[in-house]
């Protein structure tokens, strides 16, 4: 299922996961690699720890093909 709007995605996965998915997708669309995205997330304190980064990025990799609102 592809989400055309963010509202159904938020309803299904929650605000927090939606924020991270949106953030990672926008970074990827700017041409950044996985490592660059993760480094920026740590450097800019988007995530609090490497463990949280690992969990959120794994979730993003699962659902990134479903994101269609960006």
């Amino acid at each position: 299922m592809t989400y055309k709007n963010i509202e159904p995605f938020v309803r299904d996965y929650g605000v927090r996961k939606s924020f991270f998915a949106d953030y990672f997708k926008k970074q990827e669309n700017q041409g950044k690699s996985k490592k660059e995205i993760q480094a920026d997330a740590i450097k800019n304190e988007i995530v609090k720890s490497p463990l949280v980064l690992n969990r959120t990025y794994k979730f993003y990799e699962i659902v990134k093909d479903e994101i269609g609102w960006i």
Side-chain angles (χ1 to χ4, degrees), residues 12-53:
D12 291 346
Y13 296 110
V15 174
R16 183 181 175 149
K17 287 184 177 181
S18 300
F19 167 77
F20 286 118
D22 187 63
Y23 177 80
F24 293 148
K25 185 70 171 183
K26 286 179 181 175
Q27 295 290 318
E28 193 174 83
N29 286 345
Q30 291 177 358
K32 293 187 178 181
S33 69
K34 176 181 175 178
K35 289 186 181 196
E36 290 173 326
I37 294 169
Q38 290 178 335
D40 287 345
I42 294 267
K43 184 174 69 175
N44 296 329
E45 297 180 358
I46 301 296
V47 294
K48 295 187 182 234
S49 70
L51 180 61
V52 172
L53 176 62

